[in-house]
Amino acid sequence: MSQVISPRRLPLAALLALVPLAAPADDHTATAVFAGGCFWCVEEAFDPVEGVIATTSGYSGGDTEAPTYEQVTGGDTGHAEVVAVEYDPTVVDYRQLLHVFWRNIDPFAEDRQFCDVVDSYRSAIFPMNAEERELAEASRAELEERFEREIATQITDFEAFYPAEAYHQDYYQENPLRYRFYKSACGREERLEEVWGDEAGGLG
């Protein structure tokens, strides 16, 4: 399965070199891919993190090439809604991104997140190499010990990323009223506070 990158989000140097998503876009950036339910909310969670350069909503983890939103949410592709986080590893490292990720999801929810009850909204980490997988698995094990219960979040080796349609990108900024209504009605913040307390959001 070929890897797909977003021409709207990645630097020109990456496009000219046709750099795959798993490789740094240039000498100073890298990309991590996370699924945490609604990708609008995951973008909002990572954008304020110091060292994060850009976030792109998309699809990963399935078998269908270049899927549409309707196909993914219909449940036949195997993909999850994900966000590709482009970051500067000299400012923020993968371990810190994992910290933010966990504190923006319900780690106990299986094949769902908050009000979105379907497999495409599952939580998952997509490590791109052995080191990232080791860090992801260690972080999950720490949470299982901390909460004394099984963590439902999947850890799946990265294969491909397909950018979502343009209207999904930066949705929380472009459509703030609709976004806030959705987020509030979905109970995301309340559930995060219930699970994580003062750690909810992961920026503290």
Side-chain angles (χ1 to χ4, degrees):
M1 183 179 294
S2 59
Q3 294 169 337
V4 176
I5 56 178
S6 169
R8 195 174 71 85
R9 292 296 182 120
L10 294 181
L12 179 60
L15 296 175
L16 294 177
L18 297 179
V19 176
L21 184 61
D26 57 39
D27 290 340
H28 305 292
T29 66
T31 304
V33 176
F34 301 105
C38 171
F39 44 28
W40 304 338
C41 300
V42 180
E43 278 196 12
E44 184 190 28
F46 279 102
D47 277 342
V49 176
E50 185 177 1
V52 168
I53 299 165
T55 56
T56 304
S57 289
Y59 314 111
S60 193
D63 301 317
T64 302
E65 292 191 11
T68 65
Y69 176 74
E70 287 73 19
Q71 288 175 316
V72 172
T73 55
D76 295 328
T77 67
H79 286 294
E81 287 194 11
V82 303
V83 170
V85 180
E86 184 185 350
Y87 65 101
D88 182 345
T90 67
V91 178
V92 60
D93 61 24
Y94 191 73
R95 190 190 307 272
Q96 292 169 305
L97 294 179
L98 286 169
H99 177 90
V100 174
F101 165 75
W102 285 118
R103 286 151 184 81
N104 280 281
I105 68 164
D106 178 349
F108 312 119
E110 185 174 357
D111 292 337
R112 63 173 293 175
Q113 281 291 292
F114 311 103
C115 66
D116 296 310
V117 185
V118 64
D119 179 66
S120 59
Y121 290 102
R122 67 189 183 273
S123 64
I125 302 168
F126 295 89
M128 297 187 181
N129 53 53
E131 180 182 4
E132 289 184 358
R133 172 170 275 280
E134 183 177 351
L135 289 171
E137 290 179 346
S139 67
R140 185 172 62 182
E142 289 172 4
L143 293 183
E144 288 183 333
E145 182 176 356
R146 168 179 171 173
F147 290 106
E148 298 183 334
R149 60 182 296 189
E150 184 177 356
I151 299 298
T153 302
Q154 301 174 5
I155 299 176
T156 306
D157 289 340
F158 174 81
E159 292 187 9
F161 171 82
Y162 300 99
E165 294 81 350
Y167 69 89
H168 285 300
Q169 309 300 338
D170 300 319
Y171 189 91
Y172 77 96
Q173 295 175 326
E174 300 293 334
N175 301 276
L177 293 179
R178 290 182 179 180
Y179 172 72
R180 286 197 294 269
F181 177 81
Y182 159 77
K183 187 176 179 180
S184 175
C186 205
R188 190 177 187 108
E189 291 185 348
E190 291 81 0
R191 177 56 178 161
L192 289 177
E193 290 177 2
E194 182 180 351
V195 174
W196 297 103
D198 292 342
E199 296 178 40
L203 296 178

